[in-house]
Amino acid sequence: MKRIFIALALLASVNLTYAQVKPADAKKAVDSAEAASKDAKKAAKVATWLSLGQSYIKAYDAPAGNLWIGAGKQELALVMGNEKPKSSEQVTIQGQPMTKEVYADKNLYFNANNQLAIIEVTNQVVPDALAKALEAYRKAYEVDVKGAKTKDIREAIESIGQKYTNDAYNAYSFGELAEASRFFELAADAVAVKPVSKLDTSAVYNAGFTAWAAKDNDRAKTLFRKCYDAGYYYEGGEVFAKLAEVDTLNTKTYLEEGFQKFPQSQSILIGLINYYLKSNESTDRLFELLDKAKENEPNNASLYYVEGNIRAQLGDREKAVAAYEKCAEINPEYEFGFIGEGTMYYNLAIELQTKAQEELDDAKYMELVKEFEAALKSCIAPFEKAFEITKDDGVKVGVSEYLKNAYYRFRDESAEYQAGYDKYSKFSAEVKAQ
């Protein structure tokens, strides 16, 4: 999920506009402000709605109190006084080990340096406090016909948008992608309200991105299209690549338009390559795009791996091998070029074996067997190189299975082949035993 608009570093808390109050006091203030808003005479005053909006914001902020992201435990001990956690446990968030402290109305997450990283409110003083605050400020703007409080209303609404954004990042941290998408959209919706009247394209993009990550393509399409219609394409035209993925009826249209506007975009180029591979359209265009991708990233070994796969699918094994071998020239530690070459020969061997089994003519059968054995032997060297250099245990296991099968065929020919079979059989057995 590399395309989140703002890096998911630990966000600093939004500066709180209002002084902190205890949850019980915050609830009383909300009840009082709500009662005032229902009085016809008071409801005609801007101050009534401002007070109601502020009371909702204070209620939203109350569980977190005066805590702030980045604070150390000793600092928080001074702020929290006698408030103690009910329990504590070790958890992993976004791959990072953290200590989770559970309180009556919140969970606090501390990183390895014992700094507060995440504040998760678990018991809101008032449900949907931000939505209710936004509605109060909307009403305040309507009542404020002279515009005397426009600045205050604008700042308050922008603060609500920021708080929704913080909620979105918290949800993202916990892997709650659909919830993160909802909060990002709420952040965008908040600042669209008068008098802010802003289209927050970054929030809309993030809402689309998290919907896409949650595999909610219909929602993602709507949100990415909103970015597209606003002329906001994100870094290097990523919106085109995402729309092409979620709007399958218009994949080619988005990719071609995106390529014209952002010819340097690897996401768009790779999307086009995949499109032409699947659609079986003219491969001339496909190689043009691939050459362009190489110009953009001449040291990207994976592009030659893609070329090798394309050449192999087209039956041009000589050029496929050249492309696969180019991977190692660019990056000697890139195992997939070797895997691609080995897989190509292994698949060819399977194809020849099937043909041989179906051949009734003895002479032709023997010729196919020779070709089969030659292809099977050709897969051994690249697979062994991949096995040697890969750092991925899963890849190593997969490659070992190919090698075990290949060596098995020739184990009676020589001690070398027998040793190869023994080596990879033993490795495979040890992995399965773990």
PDB file of all heavy atoms in Angstrom, residues 263-284:
ATOM      1  N   PRO A 263       3.936  10.042 -19.197  1.00  0.00           N
ATOM      2  CA  PRO A 263       4.687   8.949 -19.838  1.00  0.00           C
ATOM      3  C   PRO A 263       5.757   8.333 -18.945  1.00  0.00           C
ATOM      4  O   PRO A 263       6.259   7.250 -19.244  1.00  0.00           O
ATOM      5  CB  PRO A 263       5.308   9.624 -21.067  1.00  0.00           C
ATOM      6  CG  PRO A 263       5.348  11.073 -20.714  1.00  0.00           C
ATOM      7  CD  PRO A 263       4.145  11.323 -19.881  1.00  0.00           C
ATOM      8  N   GLN A 264       6.099   9.002 -17.842  1.00  0.00           N
ATOM      9  CA  GLN A 264       7.120   8.471 -16.940  1.00  0.00           C
ATOM     10  C   GLN A 264       6.535   7.531 -15.883  1.00  0.00           C
ATOM     11  O   GLN A 264       7.287   6.898 -15.136  1.00  0.00           O
ATOM     12  CB  GLN A 264       7.835   9.623 -16.220  1.00  0.00           C
ATOM     13  CG  GLN A 264       8.481  10.639 -17.140  1.00  0.00           C
ATOM     14  CD  GLN A 264       9.590  10.046 -17.959  1.00  0.00           C
ATOM     15  OE1 GLN A 264      10.397   9.286 -17.444  1.00  0.00           O
ATOM     16  NE2 GLN A 264       9.651  10.386 -19.233  1.00  0.00           N
ATOM     17  N   SER A 265       5.218   7.440 -15.813  1.00  0.00           N
ATOM     18  CA  SER A 265       4.592   6.655 -14.750  1.00  0.00           C
ATOM     19  C   SER A 265       4.764   5.154 -14.974  1.00  0.00           C
ATOM     20  O   SER A 265       4.265   4.600 -15.951  1.00  0.00           O
ATOM     21  CB  SER A 265       3.096   6.979 -14.665  1.00  0.00           C
ATOM     22  OG  SER A 265       2.439   6.060 -13.821  1.00  0.00           O
ATOM     23  N   GLN A 266       5.441   4.509 -14.041  1.00  0.00           N
ATOM     24  CA  GLN A 266       5.628   3.060 -14.144  1.00  0.00           C
ATOM     25  C   GLN A 266       4.325   2.313 -13.879  1.00  0.00           C
ATOM     26  O   GLN A 266       4.065   1.271 -14.466  1.00  0.00           O
ATOM     27  CB  GLN A 266       6.704   2.607 -13.157  1.00  0.00           C
ATOM     28  CG  GLN A 266       8.104   3.029 -13.551  1.00  0.00           C
ATOM     29  CD  GLN A 266       8.494   2.538 -14.939  1.00  0.00           C
ATOM     30  OE1 GLN A 266       8.492   1.352 -15.198  1.00  0.00           O
ATOM     31  NE2 GLN A 266       8.815   3.458 -15.832  1.00  0.00           N
ATOM     32  N   SER A 267       3.471   2.857 -13.000  1.00  0.00           N
ATOM     33  CA  SER A 267       2.199   2.190 -12.721  1.00  0.00           C
ATOM     34  C   SER A 267       1.350   2.122 -13.983  1.00  0.00           C
ATOM     35  O   SER A 267       0.728   1.097 -14.282  1.00  0.00           O
ATOM     36  CB  SER A 267       1.436   2.949 -11.632  1.00  0.00           C
ATOM     37  OG  SER A 267       2.113   2.877 -10.399  1.00  0.00           O
ATOM     38  N   ILE A 268       1.319   3.224 -14.728  1.00  0.00           N
ATOM     39  CA  ILE A 268       0.537   3.257 -15.963  1.00  0.00           C
ATOM     40  C   ILE A 268       1.159   2.350 -17.015  1.00  0.00           C
ATOM     41  O   ILE A 268       0.454   1.591 -17.705  1.00  0.00           O
ATOM     42  CB  ILE A 268       0.421   4.704 -16.483  1.00  0.00           C
ATOM     43  CG1 ILE A 268      -0.407   5.537 -15.513  1.00  0.00           C
ATOM     44  CG2 ILE A 268      -0.201   4.727 -17.883  1.00  0.00           C
ATOM     45  CD1 ILE A 268      -0.424   7.024 -15.824  1.00  0.00           C
ATOM     46  N   LEU A 269       2.478   2.388 -17.129  1.00  0.00           N
ATOM     47  CA  LEU A 269       3.154   1.551 -18.122  1.00  0.00           C
ATOM     48  C   LEU A 269       2.949   0.064 -17.844  1.00  0.00           C
ATOM     49  O   LEU A 269       2.637  -0.713 -18.748  1.00  0.00           O
ATOM     50  CB  LEU A 269       4.647   1.880 -18.142  1.00  0.00           C
ATOM     51  CG  LEU A 269       5.029   3.204 -18.823  1.00  0.00           C
ATOM     52  CD1 LEU A 269       6.459   3.564 -18.509  1.00  0.00           C
ATOM     53  CD2 LEU A 269       4.809   3.126 -20.322  1.00  0.00           C
ATOM     54  N   ILE A 270       3.105  -0.311 -16.595  1.00  0.00           N
ATOM     55  CA  ILE A 270       2.915  -1.720 -16.246  1.00  0.00           C
ATOM     56  C   ILE A 270       1.454  -2.116 -16.460  1.00  0.00           C
ATOM     57  O   ILE A 270       1.153  -3.228 -16.912  1.00  0.00           O
ATOM     58  CB  ILE A 270       3.338  -1.981 -14.784  1.00  0.00           C
ATOM     59  CG1 ILE A 270       4.843  -1.724 -14.608  1.00  0.00           C
ATOM     60  CG2 ILE A 270       2.998  -3.411 -14.384  1.00  0.00           C
ATOM     61  CD1 ILE A 270       5.731  -2.552 -15.521  1.00  0.00           C
ATOM     62  N   GLY A 271       0.533  -1.179 -16.144  1.00  0.00           N
ATOM     63  CA  GLY A 271      -0.875  -1.455 -16.396  1.00  0.00           C
ATOM     64  C   GLY A 271      -1.152  -1.696 -17.871  1.00  0.00           C
ATOM     65  O   GLY A 271      -1.899  -2.613 -18.247  1.00  0.00           O
ATOM     66  N   LEU A 272      -0.519  -0.898 -18.717  1.00  0.00           N
ATOM     67  CA  LEU A 272      -0.692  -1.077 -20.162  1.00  0.00           C
ATOM     68  C   LEU A 272      -0.101  -2.397 -20.640  1.00  0.00           C
ATOM     69  O   LEU A 272      -0.684  -3.100 -21.466  1.00  0.00           O
ATOM     70  CB  LEU A 272      -0.030   0.090 -20.899  1.00  0.00           C
ATOM     71  CG  LEU A 272      -0.876   1.358 -21.011  1.00  0.00           C
ATOM     72  CD1 LEU A 272      -0.015   2.536 -21.431  1.00  0.00           C
ATOM     73  CD2 LEU A 272      -2.020   1.158 -21.995  1.00  0.00           C
ATOM     74  N   ILE A 273       1.056  -2.724 -20.117  1.00  0.00           N
ATOM     75  CA  ILE A 273       1.688  -3.989 -20.498  1.00  0.00           C
ATOM     76  C   ILE A 273       0.766  -5.154 -20.141  1.00  0.00           C
ATOM     77  O   ILE A 273       0.519  -6.052 -20.948  1.00  0.00           O
ATOM     78  CB  ILE A 273       3.057  -4.130 -19.804  1.00  0.00           C
ATOM     79  CG1 ILE A 273       4.047  -3.145 -20.412  1.00  0.00           C
ATOM     80  CG2 ILE A 273       3.583  -5.557 -19.921  1.00  0.00           C
ATOM     81  CD1 ILE A 273       5.342  -3.008 -19.637  1.00  0.00           C
ATOM     82  N   ASN A 274       0.245  -5.135 -18.931  1.00  0.00           N
ATOM     83  CA  ASN A 274      -0.651  -6.210 -18.504  1.00  0.00           C
ATOM     84  C   ASN A 274      -1.921  -6.246 -19.355  1.00  0.00           C
ATOM     85  O   ASN A 274      -2.439  -7.322 -19.676  1.00  0.00           O
ATOM     86  CB  ASN A 274      -1.022  -6.035 -17.032  1.00  0.00           C
ATOM     87  CG  ASN A 274       0.147  -6.318 -16.109  1.00  0.00           C
ATOM     88  OD1 ASN A 274       1.057  -7.062 -16.465  1.00  0.00           O
ATOM     89  ND2 ASN A 274       0.138  -5.727 -14.928  1.00  0.00           N
ATOM     90  N   TYR A 275      -2.413  -5.057 -19.714  1.00  0.00           N
ATOM     91  CA  TYR A 275      -3.618  -5.000 -20.545  1.00  0.00           C
ATOM     92  C   TYR A 275      -3.389  -5.668 -21.901  1.00  0.00           C
ATOM     93  O   TYR A 275      -4.196  -6.490 -22.342  1.00  0.00           O
ATOM     94  CB  TYR A 275      -4.050  -3.546 -20.757  1.00  0.00           C
ATOM     95  CG  TYR A 275      -5.140  -3.426 -21.793  1.00  0.00           C
ATOM     96  CD1 TYR A 275      -6.467  -3.690 -21.470  1.00  0.00           C
ATOM     97  CD2 TYR A 275      -4.844  -3.074 -23.115  1.00  0.00           C
ATOM     98  CE1 TYR A 275      -7.474  -3.614 -22.417  1.00  0.00           C
ATOM     99  CE2 TYR A 275      -5.836  -2.995 -24.077  1.00  0.00           C
ATOM    100  CZ  TYR A 275      -7.150  -3.262 -23.722  1.00  0.00           C
ATOM    101  OH  TYR A 275      -8.131  -3.201 -24.678  1.00  0.00           O
ATOM    102  N   TYR A 276      -2.277  -5.324 -22.548  1.00  0.00           N
ATOM    103  CA  TYR A 276      -2.018  -5.886 -23.875  1.00  0.00           C
ATOM    104  C   TYR A 276      -1.735  -7.381 -23.808  1.00  0.00           C
ATOM    105  O   TYR A 276      -2.052  -8.121 -24.741  1.00  0.00           O
ATOM    106  CB  TYR A 276      -0.875  -5.132 -24.554  1.00  0.00           C
ATOM    107  CG  TYR A 276      -1.328  -3.828 -25.170  1.00  0.00           C
ATOM    108  CD1 TYR A 276      -1.099  -2.622 -24.515  1.00  0.00           C
ATOM    109  CD2 TYR A 276      -2.031  -3.807 -26.359  1.00  0.00           C
ATOM    110  CE1 TYR A 276      -1.542  -1.424 -25.053  1.00  0.00           C
ATOM    111  CE2 TYR A 276      -2.479  -2.619 -26.912  1.00  0.00           C
ATOM    112  CZ  TYR A 276      -2.230  -1.429 -26.254  1.00  0.00           C
ATOM    113  OH  TYR A 276      -2.690  -0.253 -26.788  1.00  0.00           O
ATOM    114  N   LEU A 277      -1.149  -7.809 -22.700  1.00  0.00           N
ATOM    115  CA  LEU A 277      -0.920  -9.246 -22.549  1.00  0.00           C
ATOM    116  C   LEU A 277      -2.249 -10.006 -22.455  1.00  0.00           C
ATOM    117  O   LEU A 277      -2.426 -11.054 -23.073  1.00  0.00           O
ATOM    118  CB  LEU A 277      -0.101  -9.517 -21.287  1.00  0.00           C
ATOM    119  CG  LEU A 277       1.411  -9.345 -21.401  1.00  0.00           C
ATOM    120  CD1 LEU A 277       2.056  -9.544 -20.034  1.00  0.00           C
ATOM    121  CD2 LEU A 277       1.995 -10.330 -22.399  1.00  0.00           C
ATOM    122  N   LYS A 278      -3.179  -9.459 -21.694  1.00  0.00           N
ATOM    123  CA  LYS A 278      -4.446 -10.152 -21.459  1.00  0.00           C
ATOM    124  C   LYS A 278      -5.399 -10.034 -22.650  1.00  0.00           C
ATOM    125  O   LYS A 278      -6.196 -10.921 -22.897  1.00  0.00           O
ATOM    126  CB  LYS A 278      -5.118  -9.596 -20.204  1.00  0.00           C
ATOM    127  CG  LYS A 278      -4.367  -9.908 -18.918  1.00  0.00           C
ATOM    128  CD  LYS A 278      -5.033  -9.255 -17.721  1.00  0.00           C
ATOM    129  CE  LYS A 278      -4.267  -9.531 -16.439  1.00  0.00           C
ATOM    130  NZ  LYS A 278      -4.873  -8.849 -15.266  1.00  0.00           N
ATOM    131  N   SER A 279      -5.335  -8.912 -23.360  1.00  0.00           N
ATOM    132  CA  SER A 279      -6.301  -8.668 -24.435  1.00  0.00           C
ATOM    133  C   SER A 279      -5.883  -9.269 -25.769  1.00  0.00           C
ATOM    134  O   SER A 279      -6.683  -9.313 -26.703  1.00  0.00           O
ATOM    135  CB  SER A 279      -6.497  -7.157 -24.616  1.00  0.00           C
ATOM    136  OG  SER A 279      -5.299  -6.545 -25.079  1.00  0.00           O
ATOM    137  N   ASN A 280      -4.611  -9.701 -25.854  1.00  0.00           N
ATOM    138  CA  ASN A 280      -4.094 -10.274 -27.104  1.00  0.00           C
ATOM    139  C   ASN A 280      -4.133  -9.291 -28.273  1.00  0.00           C
ATOM    140  O   ASN A 280      -4.223  -9.693 -29.429  1.00  0.00           O
ATOM    141  CB  ASN A 280      -4.872 -11.544 -27.478  1.00  0.00           C
ATOM    142  CG  ASN A 280      -4.644 -12.663 -26.493  1.00  0.00           C
ATOM    143  OD1 ASN A 280      -3.521 -12.879 -26.047  1.00  0.00           O
ATOM    144  ND2 ASN A 280      -5.707 -13.372 -26.134  1.00  0.00           N
ATOM    145  N   GLU A 281      -4.072  -7.994 -27.959  1.00  0.00           N
ATOM    146  CA  GLU A 281      -3.977  -7.005 -29.032  1.00  0.00           C
ATOM    147  C   GLU A 281      -2.544  -6.964 -29.547  1.00  0.00           C
ATOM    148  O   GLU A 281      -1.666  -7.667 -29.054  1.00  0.00           O
ATOM    149  CB  GLU A 281      -4.422  -5.636 -28.521  1.00  0.00           C
ATOM    150  CG  GLU A 281      -5.902  -5.576 -28.171  1.00  0.00           C
ATOM    151  CD  GLU A 281      -6.367  -4.178 -27.837  1.00  0.00           C
ATOM    152  OE1 GLU A 281      -5.748  -3.219 -28.323  1.00  0.00           O
ATOM    153  OE2 GLU A 281      -7.357  -4.048 -27.097  1.00  0.00           O
ATOM    154  N   SER A 282      -2.294  -6.134 -30.545  1.00  0.00           N
ATOM    155  CA  SER A 282      -0.984  -6.084 -31.203  1.00  0.00           C
ATOM    156  C   SER A 282       0.151  -5.952 -30.194  1.00  0.00           C
ATOM    157  O   SER A 282       0.156  -5.050 -29.354  1.00  0.00           O
ATOM    158  CB  SER A 282      -0.935  -4.900 -32.166  1.00  0.00           C
ATOM    159  OG  SER A 282       0.376  -4.727 -32.660  1.00  0.00           O
ATOM    160  N   THR A 283       1.106  -6.859 -30.296  1.00  0.00           N
ATOM    161  CA  THR A 283       2.243  -6.821 -29.366  1.00  0.00           C
ATOM    162  C   THR A 283       3.247  -5.731 -29.724  1.00  0.00           C
ATOM    163  O   THR A 283       4.127  -5.424 -28.923  1.00  0.00           O
ATOM    164  CB  THR A 283       2.959  -8.180 -29.355  1.00  0.00           C
ATOM    165  OG1 THR A 283       3.354  -8.515 -30.690  1.00  0.00           O
ATOM    166  CG2 THR A 283       2.060  -9.259 -28.795  1.00  0.00           C
ATOM    167  N   ASP A 284       3.136  -5.142 -30.920  1.00  0.00           N
ATOM    168  CA  ASP A 284       4.046  -4.050 -31.276  1.00  0.00           C
ATOM    169  C   ASP A 284       3.918  -2.907 -30.277  1.00  0.00           C
ATOM    170  O   ASP A 284       4.911  -2.358 -29.806  1.00  0.00           O
ATOM    171  CB  ASP A 284       3.736  -3.534 -32.694  1.00  0.00           C
ATOM    172  CG  ASP A 284       4.096  -4.547 -33.769  1.00  0.00           C
ATOM    173  OD1 ASP A 284       4.878  -5.469 -33.460  1.00  0.00           O
ATOM    174  OD2 ASP A 284       3.596  -4.414 -34.903  1.00  0.00           O
TER     175      ASP A 284
END
